[in-house]
Amino acid sequence: MRLARAGRARGAHSVARRATVAAGVVCAVLAWVTAGTAGLVGAAGATLLVVGFFWSGMIPLFVVRELRTGAGTGMAVLLLTYTLRLAVVLMALQVSSGLDALDERSLGVTIVACALTWILVHVVTSVRGHQPRSSARPPDFVADDPSQ
């Protein structure tokens, strides 16, 4: 059961990564048409930033799983690495804000589009993976009522 869930999670992350890159390519083409080379650079950089941020978020999950630590240790590792990843993204955005070769609107729109794509793929995958089976009988709460 654990291996099946891990396989589904890896599959979802692979699909999310591909879909996010595809959304980034669409944004990059649109940005290139509307804002020129600066738009293309901004959209490409945003795509790399989003994919790198979300993909690197999987590393602590795999490390914690392989170390077989408790939930408290796992949560501490996840929070620490999330804070570090967020700091790196904010520093990258701060540095990029001063570059003339980068269109900030294209950067921002692409970040939002790519992040929404990544999240949407995971939501759809999660909902599809947890649909109730038609052969499974729902629990009978009336028969298990302790007040009777």
Side-chain angles (χ1 to χ4, degrees), residues 22-35:
V25 168
V26 169
C27 288
V29 169
L30 292 174
W32 181 50
V33 169
T34 59

Side-chain angles (χ1 to χ4, degrees), residues 99-121:
L99 299 176
D100 291 333
L102 188 110
D103 182 42
E104 292 177 354
R105 286 185 183 157
S106 299
L107 179 84
V109 168
T110 305
I111 285 175
V112 170
C114 287
L116 287 176
T117 301
W118 183 283
I119 293 167
L120 182 65
V121 167

Side-chain angles (χ1 to χ4, degrees), residues 99-148:
L99 299 176
D100 291 333
L102 188 110
D103 182 42
E104 292 177 354
R105 286 185 183 157
S106 299
L107 179 84
V109 168
T110 305
I111 285 175
V112 170
C114 287
L116 287 176
T117 301
W118 183 283
I119 293 167
L120 182 65
V121 167
H122 280 282
V123 167
V124 168
T125 304
S126 176
V127 168
R128 284 187 183 170
H130 295 302
Q131 290 180 352
R133 297 180 185 151
S134 60
S135 63
R137 194 172 141 245
D140 187 7
F141 294 111
V142 177
D144 296 333
D145 188 12
S147 65
Q148 292 181 352

